[in-house]
Amino acid sequence: LRDQIDSVLKASVSALAATIIILPGFLFFEDLQTGWELLKAMALPYGFAIFLGIFLVGLLLAHEEHRHIAEAAQKKSEKRFRELFENLVDVSYRTDIDGNFIVISPSSEKIFGYRPEEVLGRQIANAYRNPSRRDDFMAQIRRDGQVENFEAEMRKKDGSFVWVSTNAKLLTDAEGSFIGIEGVARDISQLKKSEEEKLNLEESLRQSQKMEAIGTLAGGIAHDFNNILAAIIGYSEIAIDEVPEFSPARQSIREVLNAAMRAKELVGHILTFSRKSEQNYAPVQIQLIVKDALKLLRASIPATIDIRQDIDSQCGTIIADPTELHQVTMNLCTNAAQEIEKTDGVLYVSLERLDLSEDDLQNEPTLKPGPHVKLSVKDTGLGIDSDHIDRIFDPYYTTKDVGMGSGLGLAVVHGIVKRHNGMITVETNPTQGTTFNVFFPIAEGVEQQVAKEIDPLPTGNERILVVDDETSVVEVTQQRLERLGYQVTSKNSSIEALELFRAQPNAFELIITDQTMPDMTGEQLAKKLIDLRPDILIVLCTGYSSNIDAEKSKALGIKEFLLKPIDLQELAITIRRVLDAQN
């Protein structure tokens, strides 16, 4: 019963009970009479001795039992604490006044790669990737006595880094002097990764919104810009016919016309990009595109920059969009020129045919080995910093000064190259400059399709009504059509055009109208004209409209749908096709 003897009273009762049980044993000594006499004689001294001895032994045994229980409880508690300490997912630690580890949990091996014995006695400050974070930690804990959720990157045994969040408190002695720090560090690398992914998604969303805004902006300005191009193209075509063949001005006007047509195609690409539409590619000889781009580049960069070119005239035919190839060449060369314009460096442009093997394309598993054309653009600048090289193709990423670049140039180039099933690489060196290499697959057995001009252009003498709110577009269209022999009436207002047609519904065989006009759109005008005369022929033109397309216009009874700016050949052929179809 020793575990139950936990007080003096219980020890006394136990000793008394034991004495009462033991003393009657004298009754059985020889005979009963003798035993009784002996019991009376020994009861007091012997009974007291028995009582005292058992009383003391009972207290001693109770004390030992309590000590044993306490020790067992302590061992159990220590075991639980040790198991908890050893099974911690987070790292529990303690450092001395000098920042040396004096205690650290085994979880340090999982998080940092160090076993506890490898860490003890080492400086915690050496683990910080950024030493200034250790200074921030110490300043905060000395000021507040503790830190909560303090984030920092710590170096692991293999040299890599892990993000940890630390909760710690200041340890002091009886006098309140600083003696160390005790804390718990948690691995938050996954949380940081998730936060980074979230930020990337948010950034992607912002970029998507920017691109959507660009698309909206492109659509908004395309109509007006295409009207300007329509006037430039129209008057240039008229001017060419009026300038003698031997005049140097004729070639100058033709270059203006070529530039305007390139601008027309570029606007079309911007609108296509904003609508994410598919594009149609055709066989082209890239060497002609590159040479043309270099001619334009020479006139747009400082004369102090030396352009050296090595263009293989027999490098083959590729399936591509000429305007996009021109854009790739101009963007790469313009970037290179900006890098060296302050140093009067050299710009090297080369084009050659070569065969790419599977080893050459090991980082581009979607591409096929075989004959390719390689466009290289090299500058003699200072190269690209290693911190930026991985992001140079990201949209809106630029290292140029404000106003020197939008950050879209290389991103656009990368997108165009990928759409052409090509590959782009970059080589950079602080002493040798930067080289961009673009590879396009060669289309074997395919010849470039060369558009043939129709000469002479189809003509006629029918009566045509031209409607457009832009005076320059109306005037140049009227002159073009009159040169083709047609009888032309023009109006700058859709309302006036409707009133004229209502008054003379049979005065015209054909109506050419713009879509985007004040008061009444071309679509609305066409409906009213058809209501007045169902057989009237209508050609609808637009610089840009998200509300109508070729399919919808034909459903309304409109015969043709043309996108501005319209060159003379396209205009003449379309008009003749519509008129002849009626006959």
Side-chain angles (χ1 to χ4, degrees):
L1 301 176
R2 64 179 187 177
D3 57 334
Q4 299 180 18
I5 303 175
D6 54 3
S7 66
V8 175
L9 178 60
K10 290 182 179 181
S12 300
V13 173
S14 299
L16 180 60
T19 301
I20 293 172
I21 293 172
I22 294 173
L23 284 178
F26 286 103
L27 294 174
F28 301 101
F29 187 79
E30 295 184 359
D31 55 52
L32 186 60
Q33 182 64 34
T34 305
W36 174 250
E37 292 298 330
L38 183 60
L39 176 62
K40 288 191 296 182
M42 298 298 293
L44 184 60
Y46 190 66
F48 179 73
I50 293 173
F51 174 84
L52 183 60
I54 293 179
F55 173 75
L56 294 175
V57 169
L59 289 179
L60 178 62
L61 291 177
H63 173 74
E64 286 298 313
E65 179 65 21
H66 293 159
R67 186 180 65 80
H68 173 75
I69 292 173
E71 287 180 352
Q74 182 179 1
K75 289 179 180 179
K76 187 176 181 180
S77 177
E78 289 176 351
K79 181 182 179 182
R80 285 199 303 267
F81 176 77
R82 184 169 56 254
E83 289 176 348
L84 177 64
F85 186 71
E86 292 177 350
N87 293 325
L88 279 175
V89 175
D90 300 336
V91 175
S92 179
Y93 70 93
R94 180 179 294 176
T95 63
D96 60 18
I97 190 172
D98 297 319
N100 299 312
F101 285 104
I102 56 178
V103 176
I104 191 167
S105 62
S107 51
S108 62
E109 184 173 6
K110 181 177 180 181
I111 295 180
F112 298 110
Y114 289 102
R115 296 189 304 276
E117 57 269 23
E118 294 178 295
V119 176
L120 296 178
R122 296 180 61 174
Q123 278 274 347
I124 190 174
N126 297 331
Y128 281 83
R129 181 174 190 173
N130 184 355
S132 65
R133 291 298 288 163
R134 170 65 176 175
D135 298 335
D136 296 339
F137 177 87
M138 291 304 300
Q140 184 176 341
I141 201 168
R142 285 182 178 274
R143 182 185 69 245
D144 302 332
Q146 64 179 16
V147 293
E148 294 182 358
N149 303 321
F150 185 88
E151 297 180 359
E153 277 190 287
M154 310 296 282
R155 183 177 287 103
K156 298 174 65 174
K157 186 177 182 178
D158 61 6
S160 61
F161 295 91
V162 59
W163 275 98
V164 297
S165 175
T166 302
N167 292 301
K169 66 177 181 178
L170 195 70
L171 298 178
T172 57
D173 57 17
E175 287 76 28
S177 300
F178 169 57
I179 61 172
I181 294 173
E182 188 174 67
V184 176
R186 169 169 294 182
D187 181 358
I188 59 169
S189 298
Q190 283 299 117
L191 178 61
K192 279 291 185 180
K193 183 178 180 180
S194 298
E195 290 178 351
E196 184 177 356
E197 290 175 350
K198 180 182 177 182
L199 291 175
N200 289 337
L201 287 174
E202 292 175 350
E203 180 65 18
S204 298
L205 177 60
R206 284 194 291 270
Q207 301 300 354
S208 297
Q209 291 171 338
K210 286 182 181 179
M211 298 310 294
E212 183 179 353
I214 289 176
T216 302
L217 178 63
I221 67 173
H223 177 265
D224 291 339
F225 187 63
N226 279 330
N227 278 336
I228 296 172
L229 288 177
I232 294 174
I233 293 173
Y235 282 118
S236 296
E237 290 175 336
I238 293 172
I240 286 179
D241 290 340
E242 295 178 348
V243 174
E245 287 283 352
F246 58 83
S247 174
R250 188 179 182 88
Q251 182 59 32
S252 297
I253 296 173
R254 188 170 295 280
E255 289 299 326
V256 172
L257 184 58
N258 290 338
M261 295 303 294
R262 190 177 296 119
K264 168 189 173 181
E265 294 173 352
L266 186 58
V267 173
H269 284 304
I270 293 174
L271 294 176
T272 299
F273 177 72
S274 68
R275 294 192 297 263
K276 296 181 172 58
S277 302
E278 293 185 2
Q279 293 173 286
N280 296 319
Y281 300 126
V284 296
Q285 294 182 3
I286 187 174
Q287 63 269 27
L288 302 179
I289 306 297
V290 173
K291 288 180 178 179
D292 184 61
L294 291 179
K295 286 171 56 181
L296 181 62
L297 181 74
R298 178 68 281 175
S300 61
I301 65 174
T304 53
I305 295 178
D306 184 14
I307 301 178
R308 301 179 187 178
Q309 53 181 295
D310 182 12
I311 309 297
D312 181 3
S313 59
Q314 303 296 325
C315 58
T317 301
I318 67 174
I319 303 299
D321 181 281
T323 300
E324 289 192 332
L325 291 183
H326 192 278
Q327 192 175 3
V328 167
T329 307
M330 287 297 295
N331 280 6
L332 291 178
C333 291
T334 301
N335 276 356
Q338 290 175 349
E339 289 296 321
I340 59 178
E341 62 182 355
K342 294 181 180 179
T343 59
D344 299 337
V346 180
L347 174 61
Y348 299 90
V349 181
S350 65
L351 192 68
E352 62 177 325
R353 179 187 178 120
L354 77 169
D355 288 327
L356 294 183
S357 65
E358 291 184 357
D359 291 339
D360 297 325
L361 299 174
Q362 58 183 345
N363 295 326
E364 298 286 344
T366 60
L367 303 186
K368 297 180 181 179
H372 284 70
V373 60
K374 175 185 176 183
L375 170 65
S376 295
V377 177
K378 178 183 178 182
D379 63 65
T380 56
L382 300 178
I384 302 173
D385 192 280
S386 58
D387 293 337
H388 305 301
I389 192 69
D390 292 333
R391 299 191 59 191
I392 58 174
F393 295 116
D394 291 352
Y396 301 102
Y397 184 77
T398 179
T399 58
K400 297 186 177 77
D401 296 334
V402 175
M404 292 298 295
S406 64
L408 280 173
L410 290 178
V412 170
V413 168
H414 186 266
I416 292 174
V417 172
K418 290 300 179 183
R419 286 198 298 274
H420 285 76
N421 297 318
M423 175 178 69
I424 183 169
T425 63
V426 58
E427 303 168 5
T428 186
N429 188 295
T431 60
Q432 299 179 4
T434 302
T435 302
F436 283 92
N437 298 309
V438 182
F439 302 85
F440 294 110
I442 291 177
E444 295 287 356
V446 177
E447 297 296 331
Q448 182 179 11
Q449 299 176 357
V450 180
K452 296 181 179 180
E453 291 189 5
I454 298 177
D455 190 22
L457 293 175
T459 60
N461 58 7
E462 287 86 351
R463 296 165 297 175
I464 299 176
L465 173 61
V466 177
V467 187
D468 198 303
D469 61 314
E470 287 286 337
T471 303
S472 60
V473 174
V474 168
E475 291 177 352
V476 74
T477 303
Q478 182 169 353
Q479 289 188 44
R480 282 169 145 187
L481 296 180
E482 288 176 344
R483 285 170 175 266
L484 294 174
Y486 296 104
Q487 303 173 54
V488 183
T489 302
S490 59
K491 292 292 181 181
N492 287 110
S493 166
S494 53
I495 301 295
E496 292 179 4
L498 179 60
E499 292 175 352
L500 175 62
F501 188 82
R502 184 178 284 120
Q504 306 176 50
N506 296 312
F508 306 100
E509 282 78 36
L510 177 67
I511 310 292
I512 301 177
T513 178
D514 184 31
Q515 162 63 9
T516 305
M517 295 183 291
D519 300 322
M520 185 188 304
T521 67
E523 177 187 357
Q524 295 169 335
L525 175 62
K527 290 180 181 179
K528 294 182 181 297
L529 295 177
I530 293 173
D531 289 341
L532 293 172
R533 182 180 155 193
D535 65 337
I536 185 63
L537 304 177
I538 300 176
V539 175
L540 181 66
C541 306
T542 182
Y544 171 76
S545 176
S546 60
N547 298 322
I548 192 167
D549 54 22
E551 185 176 343
K552 184 178 178 182
S553 64
K554 290 197 175 181
L556 297 173
I558 297 171
K559 301 304 179 182
E560 288 287 345
F561 180 82
L562 297 178
L563 291 175
K564 293 180 179 180
I566 309 163
D567 61 45
L568 182 58
Q569 178 176 304
E570 181 183 14
L571 181 62
I573 293 174
T574 301
I575 291 175
R576 197 67 262 161
R577 181 170 62 245
V578 172
L579 290 170
D580 292 344
Q582 184 74 0
N583 300 327

